[in-house]
Amino acid sequence: MRWCLRHCALGDMHPEVASAHKRIGNVRYQRGDLANADDEYRKALSICIHCFGQEHQTTKSAAVMVEKVAKEMAQQQVVAVTPVPPVSSSPSSTSFFKRGPKGYESLS
C-alpha cells in the first residue's frame, strides 16, 4: 500500500520509485522468485537511467543486480533443460564387456 501511494504521488520516473522497485526485487530474489525479481530490477534500472544517467553509481548498482539475476536464471534453465542420459541395466553391444581383449580377435 505504501509503495502504491508513493508511486501515485511521485510518478513513474522518480528515484524513490526506483528504490521501491529495487527493494521489492531484493525480497523476491531472496525468496527465489527470480522472474519477478528480474522484472523489478529492470524497472528500477530503467528509472535510474532516466533520472541519473548511465554512469551514476545507483544506475550501475541496479545494472549489477539485473546481470546477476539474468545469469542465475540462465543457469537454472540450463540445468532444467539439460537431459539426463538414461541408465540402462545391461551393457550396450559395443561395451568393453562384450569384446575380447585386443589381439584375440583373430582367434575366433
Side-chain angles (χ1 to χ4, degrees):
M1 180 70 169
R2 209 166 133 198
W3 178 85
C4 182
L5 292 173
R6 182 174 289 162
H7 182 261
C8 291
L10 300 174
D12 289 340
M13 294 295 177
H14 193 278
E16 286 190 34
V17 174
S19 178
H21 280 296
K22 188 172 180 184
R23 286 192 306 272
I24 293 169
N26 289 342
V27 170
R28 291 183 172 172
Y29 177 78
Q30 290 171 352
R31 291 183 177 174
D33 185 4
L34 296 181
N36 287 320
D38 182 59
D39 185 46
E40 294 296 331
Y41 287 138
R42 288 180 187 277
K43 288 176 185 176
L45 177 59
S46 174
I47 296 168
C48 288
I49 290 171
H50 174 79
C51 294
F52 302 120
Q54 295 278 350
E55 297 302 316
H56 195 274
Q57 183 60 38
T58 304
T59 304
K60 290 179 181 180
S61 172
V64 165
M65 289 310 297
V66 168
E67 289 176 23
K68 181 177 181 177
V69 172
K71 284 180 185 178
E72 286 190 34
M73 287 173 56
Q75 286 176 344
Q76 284 185 358
Q77 288 176 353
V78 167
V79 170
V81 173
T82 304
V84 177
V87 177
S88 64
S89 58
S90 62
S92 66
S93 61
T94 59
S95 170
F96 170 80
F97 300 106
K98 295 270 184 172
R99 296 186 314 245
K102 284 195 170 201
Y104 291 97
E105 294 88 11
S106 61
L107 296 177
S108 318

